[in-house]
Amino acid sequence: MVELLVARCAGLDVAKDEVVVCVRTPDGRGGRAQQVRTFSTFTSGLEALAGWLAGEGVTRVVMEATGQYWKPVWYVLEEAGFALLLVNARHVKILPGRKTDVCDAAWLAECWSMGCCGGALCPRPRSGSCGI
């Protein structure tokens, strides 16, 4: 069994027009609860995403580096104070059994909660730090 390292985390599958988000939190019975939502990539949608994550007590967020689409998401979440990790999409796409954006987001959240994601890239962070 893999030890849980991050109690409240989110995995994001970022595309041009939308972000699919999976939040994993303790369920109160010793297990994990999972919620999935989709947000637009317009500023208002990304701000709503940041508000939802904060409301769920999420502190750490992982997303794939997909083209240029991840950048606005990164900047909004960084400004909101989340610890962010950007992973190389090629490294997580090679895993079998993931066929949808929801599955991608859930897989990223699960890997992040167990400390199995390694940061691949660090964009020009405004805060001077990258990930954890």
Side-chain angles (χ1 to χ4, degrees), residues 1-6 24 32 110-116:
M1 176 181 262
V2 179
E3 181 182 352
L4 179 67
L5 300 177
V6 181
R24 292 178 55 89
R32 306 284 289 154
E110 183 174 352
C111 288
W112 187 220
S113 70
M114 295 181 291
C116 297

Side-chain angles (χ1 to χ4, degrees), residues 20-113:
V20 177
V21 183
C22 177
V23 168
R24 292 178 55 89
T25 57
D27 69 2
R29 299 181 308 268
R32 306 284 289 154
Q34 179 172 297
Q35 297 180 65
V36 177
R37 291 192 185 174
T38 301
F39 296 86
S40 79
T41 54
F42 289 109
T43 302
S44 61
L46 298 178
E47 290 171 346
L49 163 62
W52 179 59
L53 293 176
E56 291 296 321
V58 169
T59 56
R60 299 182 186 185
V61 179
V62 62
M63 67 183 87
E64 294 177 347
T66 308
Q68 301 293 315
Y69 302 137
W70 59 270
K71 289 181 179 183
V73 179
W74 179 280
Y75 294 133
V76 168
L77 295 180
E78 180 184 45
E79 184 71 26
F82 294 98
L84 303 171
L85 182 69
L86 188 66
V87 296
N88 188 322
R90 192 177 332 154
H91 296 164
V92 292
K93 291 287 187 195
I94 62 173
L95 301 168
R98 296 178 321 110
K99 304 295 183 204
T100 68
D101 293 344
V102 171
C103 289
D104 284 352
W107 177 249
L108 285 169
E110 183 174 352
C111 288
W112 187 220
S113 70

